[in-house]
Amino acid sequence: MSFEHLITELRRTGHRRLVVLSGEAHWSLAQALSLRNTLPGDWLWVGDDASIEPCSAPRALSGLLGREFRHAFFDARSGFDVAAFAALSGTLQAGSLLVLLVPPLLSWAEKPDSDSLRWSDSPEPIATPHFVRHFCQVMSADPDVILWQQHQAPHLHAFPPAPDWRPANGEPQREQSDILTSLLTMSHGLAAVTAPRGRGKSALAGMLLNRIQGRAVVTAPAKAATEVIAHFAGDRYYFVAPDALAASDIQADWLIVDEAAAMPGPLLEKLVRRFPRVLLTTTVQGYEGTGRGFLLKFCARFTGLQRYTLLTPIRWAAGCPLERVVAQALLFNDELIDSTPQGEVHFTALEPQSWESHSALAANVYELLCAAHYRTSPLDLRRMMDAPGQHFSVAKTNSAIAGALWLVDEGGLSAELSRAVWAGFRRPRGNLVAQSLAAHGGNPLAAVLKGRRVTRVAVHPQRQREGIGQQLIRSVSQVAQQDYVSVSFGYTEELWRFWQRCGFVLVRMGSHREASSGCYTAMALLPLSDAGQALCEQEHRRLCRDARVLEAWNREKIPVKDSWDATLNDDDWLELAGFAFAHRPFSSSVAALTRLLLVVDAPLAALRGKAEGHKDDAQLCAELALSGRKALLALFRSETAHTLEGLDKSRAQQLKRDILQWQFFQ
């Protein structure tokens, strides 16, 4: 069978196929160009450093979502961005080929992957053998994948008998029609339509706009992704960006939110509660990192929510080989939570090597995490499989998985590097909590200690409130040879109660709300060693002492004992010297700066305007005739330095000499 005949058959059956070109870079490029010259189509090229038009960098592909292409290339020869790969597959029309360029199969697993720099926290690209072998196994097991290796002819298998595909004609299909009927009778409330990609949920939203009475507003994370809605809505299409809509006083009878799960939760909730009728659409089993968790987590807070699902593909035929292989390779199956794990729970450790020795169990862990955390994405799959320092604990029954805990190694930095992090001279990759304890805490050696950070914890919805999550934490704390277990989370009272029950102690509260959750970042420690206990106590005391000031800045209560002390102590001197003579951030030093201003009478216009007057930076820059924030921060540091020298010049100069030395180390 020739490629021309293959395309004819794909168009007839409404299917799409994956073609894998595996070989040396010059050979695979030559075959790709030959296919482009032979087969008419768009042939979008997705890859870094692409010189072939039309092209897109993998991380710029989101700007093309909502559009459709006939045929595309994905260049994974130097790095494999699997989220972009899945996204590209969702843009291809029926009758298309997705041509994937990869290194020679025999050496691919050992080849460093440049995309790993995004998710491995490694300073250099790493090899990704577990994912590569998993991908190759899926590819080899699928007879519809066309593997074309250098020095070998491509294997184009004959098509099994299949009926002719009838593409949609623009009128509502059966599932769409049933949902439209229900939505058009909705007098008020919230509805959510979820579907895998290609099922016509955006078309459904556009059809709804064309049929409703009254005014409607469309919003989405990216306007470009709403082209399908606009096409079906015609002149009823009216788009407003989410932030602009939230800041406006626009009123309407309907709000349509496309790809709702990709929006920050607090912003989405604010918009949902403002309009009388709201339709949310979002992709499940997809690269957006949504999964069933969007329904389980966000939508569950709204009583009376009407849920709808589109199952039948519209943009291609059911059983599409490309959709199947992408779903299998990236573990888009979300059926795990449809059945309840029965029986007694027992706990076991799982290491990344289990992707090869116990692949089904490892896959179930990922699937449960996707269901529980709707921002889990294929990037997390890559990290789970191949990033260094990943550890897992699993709660199993005889029938299924009931819970999972994902941890990552942190800390263990040299004393010299930890001091440089504290002073703001260095920010190495990774070590989220360990670096934060140094960069924002009071101990320059905090990052020397070794810990494991909880990345995700999930319990099956039907086995929650049985203490399984706490037992998972307990199971790792009893065996981990570490100084502490840590966690970083968007603070809510409910989440904090869980971590408290697990034995964690609050040690830090951030100064900015997370975009994804709208909450302040909280960090907590579960000490496991004497050194870990000492660090935990030190940082908790610091938080209690500073809480009054931090609460005033955040305008939110911090759940610790108020131990405010207005006197300057040794910790304050070190903190203030780090701010004055190095690069400690204002937010970390604000409590010590507040105490400094209480013990001196100097005018200190910049510091007092910021710390006592709570003036914003633009106002202070205007009042002090400064060029911008950089100049304002320099003035903050200068005023602090002069004030310390006025209090005790020799002490200030000694601290300055010591701290400046921390930027020089091997």
Side-chain angles (χ1 to χ4, degrees), residues 70-84:
R70 183 173 299 282
H71 308 314
F73 298 109
F74 194 94
D75 187 357
R77 291 172 295 177
S78 62
F80 197 177
D81 182 340
V82 294

Side-chain angles (χ1 to χ4, degrees), residues 108-297:
W108 187 13
E110 285 71 46
K111 181 180 172 64
D113 186 318
S114 62
D115 188 64
S116 66
L117 290 172
R118 292 194 306 132
W119 47 260
S120 69
D121 292 333
S122 299
E124 302 293 336
I126 64 170
T128 60
H130 298 127
F131 177 79
V132 169
R133 290 169 187 149
H134 160 74
F135 187 88
C136 289
Q137 287 172 359
V138 170
M139 183 176 62
S140 300
D142 193 319
D144 290 323
V145 173
I146 300 168
L147 176 60
W148 189 357
Q149 298 189 71
Q150 191 171 359
H151 308 304
Q152 299 180 24
H155 297 288
L156 302 180
H157 300 290
F159 275 66
D164 291 351
W165 178 60
R166 295 183 179 181
N169 60 6
E171 293 300 313
Q173 301 298 294
R174 182 182 58 80
E175 288 179 333
Q176 291 175 320
S177 180
D178 291 345
I179 296 173
L180 279 172
T181 300
S182 296
L183 293 176
L184 289 171
T185 60
M186 192 169 84
S187 60
H188 67 279
L190 174 66
V193 174
T194 58
R197 187 151 293 279
R199 268 60 180 175
K201 64 186 184 324
S202 295
L204 170 68
M207 294 172 184
L208 177 67
L209 288 172
N210 239 327
R211 289 162 170 76
I212 59 175
Q213 301 296 318
R215 188 184 185 195
V217 178
V218 177
T219 193
K223 183 180 181 181
T226 65
E227 286 186 3
V228 174
I229 295 180
H231 172 76
F232 281 90
D235 58 8
R236 300 297 304 276
Y237 174 79
Y238 174 58
F239 181 88
V240 182
D243 289 340
L245 182 59
S248 74
D249 58 0
I250 294 174
Q251 299 296 319
D253 300 288
W254 275 90
L255 171 66
I256 311 293
V257 185
D258 196 37
E259 294 301 354
M263 287 178 56
L267 175 59
L268 181 59
E269 183 169 0
K270 180 179 179 181
L271 293 175
V272 163
R273 297 191 184 280
R274 179 169 143 190
F275 292 86
R277 302 175 189 86
V278 179
L279 172 64
L280 308 177
T281 75
T282 201
T283 303
V284 296
Q285 294 184 337
Y287 55 87
E288 289 90 347
T290 57
R292 295 273 287 277
F294 178 67
L295 290 174
L296 292 172
K297 291 291 185 180

Side-chain angles (χ1 to χ4, degrees), residues 331-334 336-337 362-372:
L331 303 181
F332 285 164
N333 177 27
D334 61 6
L336 181 75
I337 59 173
N364 283 344
V365 169
Y366 177 71
E367 290 161 11
L368 179 61
L369 292 172
C370 282

Side-chain angles (χ1 to χ4, degrees), residues 387-402:
Q390 312 299 307
H391 306 276
F392 306 89
S393 182
V394 182
K396 294 172 55 182
T397 69
N398 290 330
S399 62
I401 181 173

